[in-house]
Amino acid sequence: MSPIPLRRLPGFLSVLIRSGALALVAGAAVAVVAGSGSLAARASTPAQIPVTSYRSASCGCCKGWVQHMRANGFAVRDVVVADLPAIKQRLGVPTRLSSCHTAEVEGFALEGHVPAADVKRLLHSRPAVAGIAVPGMPLGSPGMESAYGKEPFTVLAFTRTGAISSFSRHPQ
Amino acid sequence: MTTPMRRRQVLGLGFAALGTAMAAPALWRRLPRFDALAEPTGAATLASHGGVADLELVAQSSAGTLPGGPREVLTYNGRSPGPLLEVKAGDEVRLRLRNRLDQPTNLHFHGLHIPPTGTGDNVFLTVPPGGTTDYAFRLAKDHPAGLFYVHPHQHGLSADQVFGGLGGALVVRGDLDRIPEVAAARESVLVLKDYASTSGEEAAMGVGRMLGREGPLLTVNGTINPELPVASGGLLRLRLLNASNARIYRLALEGHPLVLIATDGRAIGTPEPLEELLLAPGERADVLVQGNQSPGTYRLLTLPYRRSGHMGIADADQVPQTLATLRYAGTVAPLPLPTTLIPVPVLPEPERTRRFVLGHAMEMGGMGGMKYAMGGMGGGGTGMGGMGMGFQINGQAFEPDRIDTRVRLGSTEDWLLVNDDVMDHPFHLHVNPFQVISRAGRPESQRRWKDTVLVRAGEEVRIRVAFRDFPGRTVYHCHNLDHEDLGLMGVLQIDGQAS
């Protein structure tokens, strides 16, 4: 589990509190707040932010992304669905940004092998977008680690109206 | 047989080429800046004479000339696609490959029924940078007449080299060409190939190596939207080769059915009119077009097709795109279609059935293929002991030193190809053609010879193959060449004695 950078603490804490509430509502078996610790202590043992991930049964790489998210402090519900395109449509993922799996976190859509660090930045900065995407399946992205190589990729933000902008580049 | 030549200064645009161009001042003046550095372009067609084909292909990097296309294109004899190679059944073929690339390469004679060993269709040969290899084999007198495909098959680099521009058509003349209606048709070989844009930014939109790289520039014989002349009343024989790395073409010609007469370099029994023709990488098809519509122009289109679910779909791929334009010119007495072609025999009942499951997954154990795949790829370790993410057949990534399937020369087998993936996989077997028996449990309507079959995501295809004439080691693989380079290939050993 990677520690949360301290400089992002205040904003992230508000996210923690909101997500903690969500987790409790959802009845997730998650220790949201560890005892009576100070704010700093709570940040060092972050609550697990709930993520719902949708994938098809046969895909060989979606599980790798789920593991990456879990290892980075997210509580991922891994859901196998028959009609993935319907979910992408509901969440407003533009067709040309499609990847193999789609997820939801706090009202944002996550499409494909988005790095957990980008998801944290998204939840911290909360831009006016529908979600962020890594189209396709770039080699070397989270869940796609490979000895065959590493492809550079761009995380793209998209809005409900289909506007697309660059969110981050890997490598930077 | 791989004899290194004197080592050249291998640069993207070689100094040797500069010298040649400067020796021809007229040429030098006429050409734009980039072309001035390129080798002069070789002949468009290289043909055999008197039963012998003495051919030479020089693989090199040349300046790209496609508007909006890559600055550098990999070429044979300065051409992408390479020159058309034209030989006859029964010919002695000697093909010298000179490698002026900065990386190893080799050749695969896709679809030819020739030995997989020695100087034949031996994909285990490697020609180092600066090296030269002579391929030499004899085509049988009864070798099917058809359209075949010559392209690099250097594992780990195949996709880079084919997507970069290497590959060309090989025509074998023979039986099918002697059918009078076919002989009367005007023939046009169409090599379908897509190229990256100058920036190559499409890869950042997800069409990378896992999906298989596609470029936005669609070309026919290296040209964007060429004209195909046809006379009113005339017959046009389009000989289509998908020489793209990963793109699948869903072809349709406005106002005209495509009358199929051959698949993968081998005639079918009777002509079959089609409204659409799906052509995966490595596949070929011969179709006849009758010039029996109102004179005018008609577009040869590729229609939207999803080969990887919703992934990697560019906006341009969601509408029909024009590949070429049929243009009526002149009039001739109406030419008829043939009624029968060449019977496709029923293969013997299979001695056994094997199952091949195709997919992508994390490979956790073993070092399969690592040392080969790493070559030229600059890959980093995964820290997990295996290849990490890649493609597999029956859970294993390609390993050249491991025999995956051992068959007996003279035997017939059914292979059940199971695509357990979210992407399409065109499956190609070297040396021996096969027949598709069923798709998703439904029997095929017509018997056809194939050497590459599209197995769509989630689909099962049963093929029947007779291993004939040539013992030795060869391969089967996905012809989305990025998938092949990322592990989707197996080694086949054919045991027996050549008769």
Side-chain angles (χ1 to χ4, degrees):
Chain A
M1 204 174 281
S2 62
I4 297 157
L6 281 176
R7 59 188 164 80
R8 289 190 185 152
L9 191 59
F12 195 74
L13 273 179
S14 67
V15 170
L16 283 186
I17 291 158
R18 273 201 303 279
S19 66
L22 280 173
L24 287 170
V25 169
V30 175
V32 178
V33 177
S36 60
S38 65
L39 288 179
R42 285 166 63 180
S44 66
T45 51
Q48 294 197 306
I49 301 167
V51 171
T52 306
S53 174
Y54 305 96
R55 63 178 172 90
S56 61
S58 61
C59 191
C61 58
C62 306
K63 280 178 258 181
W65 181 78
V66 168
Q67 283 166 12
H68 162 78
M69 291 296 282
R70 285 178 179 158
N72 282 281
F74 293 90
V76 186
R77 197 160 65 96
D78 179 18
V79 184
V80 171
V81 292
D83 193 0
L84 204 48
I87 287 169
K88 293 181 198 293
Q89 198 171 10
R90 174 170 68 79
L91 296 174
V93 180
T95 303
R96 67 194 180 107
L97 300 191
S98 289
S99 178
C100 45
H101 56 262
T102 304
E104 270 184 287
V105 59
E106 298 192 357
F108 290 109
L110 304 174
E111 177 67 13
H113 294 264
V114 177
D118 286 286
V119 180
K120 288 176 180 173
R121 185 160 77 83
L122 174 78
L123 297 179
H124 170 67
S125 60
R126 306 197 81 85
V129 298
I132 56 176
V134 174
M137 313 164 132
L139 275 183
S141 60
M144 295 292 299
E145 295 83 3
S146 176
Y148 289 111
K150 211 169 159 67
E151 295 174 298
F153 64 94
T154 303
V155 181
L156 298 158
F158 55 91
T159 67
R160 278 273 168 191
T161 55
I164 293 166
S165 58
S166 174
F167 187 76
S168 70
R169 287 176 191 278
H170 298 264
Q172 289 172 338
Chain B
M1 63 221 52
T2 303
T3 41
M5 296 281 285
R6 67 194 162 86
R7 179 91 186 178
R8 288 172 189 276
Q9 279 296 108
V10 182
L11 298 173
L13 308 162
F15 284 118
L18 182 61
T20 313
M22 287 179 76
L27 191 67
W28 173 259
R29 276 195 304 274
R30 213 176 57 237
L31 296 169
R33 194 174 60 87
F34 269 119
D35 274 1
L37 290 170
E39 293 264 347
T41 311
T45 302
L46 303 176
S48 67
H49 298 284
V52 178
D54 261 315
L55 314 170
E56 181 177 85
L57 292 179
V58 181
Q60 63 193 24
S61 178
S62 301
T65 54
L66 270 179
R71 289 191 181 84
E72 242 181 70
V73 172
L74 304 184
T75 59
Y76 289 131
N77 305 356
R79 293 179 171 275
S80 175
L84 174 67
L85 308 180
E86 207 176 321
V87 301
K88 296 185 180 71
D91 275 357
E92 190 74 44
V93 178
R94 298 195 285 257
L95 194 158
R96 173 162 292 185
L97 173 67
R98 292 183 186 277
N99 182 6
R100 289 188 191 161
L101 305 172
D102 59 2
Q103 53 186 230
T105 190
N106 64 5
L107 287 181
H108 167 42
F109 299 92
H110 183 131
L112 291 186
H113 185 56
I114 56 174
T117 49
T119 59
D121 186 24
N122 184 350
V123 293
F124 295 99
L125 280 182
T126 286
V127 190
T132 295
T133 285
D134 292 330
Y135 291 91
F137 50 86
R138 180 184 283 282
L139 288 174
K141 283 194 170 59
D142 60 353
H143 194 286
L147 180 62
F148 299 91
Y149 178 24
V150 176
H151 66 84
H153 211 289
Q154 184 72 38
H155 180 63
L157 296 170
S158 297
D160 283 356
Q161 293 181 3
V162 169
F163 191 56
L166 292 182
L170 183 149
V171 164
V172 177
R173 300 279 174 205
D175 47 12
L176 177 62
D177 306 300
R178 291 190 287 268
I179 292 174
E181 295 87 350
V182 177
R186 190 179 160 280
E187 178 183 293
S188 198
V189 174
L190 305 185
V191 180
L192 311 182
K193 205 162 173 56
D194 58 348
Y195 293 84
S197 68
T198 310
S199 69
E201 66 188 356
E202 51 275 4
M205 290 298 280
V207 194
R209 296 174 64 204
M210 281 301 290
L211 269 60
R213 285 165 288 177
E214 291 184 358
L217 295 174
L218 307 189
T219 69
V220 174
N221 300 335
T223 303
I224 290 171
N225 192 13
E227 283 201 348
L228 307 169
V230 66
S232 255
L235 203 53
L236 188 56
R237 178 185 184 188
L238 298 180
R239 314 195 68 180
L240 300 151
L241 158 64
N242 183 350
S244 306
N245 173 54
R247 182 178 289 276
I248 294 174
Y249 297 86
R250 189 178 145 215
L251 300 166
L253 179 58
E254 289 178 325
H256 299 74
L258 301 169
V259 182
L260 188 70
I261 60 167
T263 53
D264 289 358
R266 288 164 166 84
I268 59 176
T270 53
E272 189 179 344
L274 304 172
E275 289 302 315
E276 282 180 19
L277 172 65
L278 203 58
L279 206 64
E283 285 190 305
R284 290 90 66 212
D286 275 26
V287 296
L288 294 175
V289 174
Q290 282 187 293
N292 57 5
Q293 299 299 308
S294 311
T297 57
Y298 299 85
R299 295 178 300 167
L300 176 65
L301 298 168
T302 183
L303 305 174
Y305 178 76
R306 287 180 176 164
R307 63 178 177 85
S308 48
H310 277 69
M311 289 186 282
I313 305 284
D315 291 343
D317 295 333
Q318 302 184 56
V319 294
Q321 293 176 275
T322 305
L323 296 176
T325 302
L326 184 76
R327 179 181 290 279
Y328 278 72
T331 305
V332 297
L335 291 170
L337 289 170
T339 51
T340 59
L341 298 161
I342 298 171
V344 176
V346 177
L347 287 171
E349 283 300 305
E351 291 166 28
R352 61 173 291 176
T353 297
R354 294 177 203 261
R355 188 178 158 90
F356 298 85
V357 180
L358 321 175
H360 79 277
M362 277 283 174
E363 190 191 39
M364 304 304 282
M367 292 292 285
M370 173 80 87
K371 56 189 179 289
Y372 294 87
M374 294 291 278
M377 286 304 177
T382 58
M384 53 185 78
M387 287 308 292
M389 183 51 63
F391 289 93
Q392 303 169 357
I393 301 177
N394 294 340
Q396 289 186 300
F398 176 64
E399 166 56 58
D401 298 327
R402 181 191 69 224
I403 292 172
D404 299 292
T405 304
R406 190 180 277 276
V407 301
R408 192 174 51 75
L409 187 66
S411 67
T412 301
E413 297 193 354
D414 271 10
W415 286 12
L416 187 62
L417 311 174
V418 180
N419 185 340
D420 192 26
D421 208 342
V422 292
M423 302 172 240
D424 290 3
H425 292 301
F427 184 92
H428 172 49
L429 172 64
H430 289 208
V431 180
N432 288 291
F434 53 79
Q435 294 174 9
V436 177
I437 301 301
S438 64
R439 278 175 185 275
R442 285 195 306 278
E444 283 284 275
S445 56
Q446 197 181 136
R447 250 190 333 273
R448 298 169 180 168
W449 287 115
K450 294 286 293 169
D451 56 49
T452 308
V453 63
L454 182 61
V455 189
R456 300 183 66 170
E459 193 181 46
E460 290 190 11
V461 174
R462 180 181 290 267
I463 63 173
R464 188 162 297 167
V465 54
F467 300 96
R468 288 177 176 163
D469 303 318
F470 308 116
R473 188 168 299 192
T474 188
V475 292
Y476 47 87
H477 61 91
C478 179
H479 217 289
N480 178 327
L481 292 174
D482 271 309
H483 293 176
E484 183 246 283
D485 283 341
L486 295 175
L488 215 170
M489 179 153 67
V491 175
L492 170 67
Q493 173 70 37
I494 306 170
D495 287 329
Q497 294 290 316
S499 52

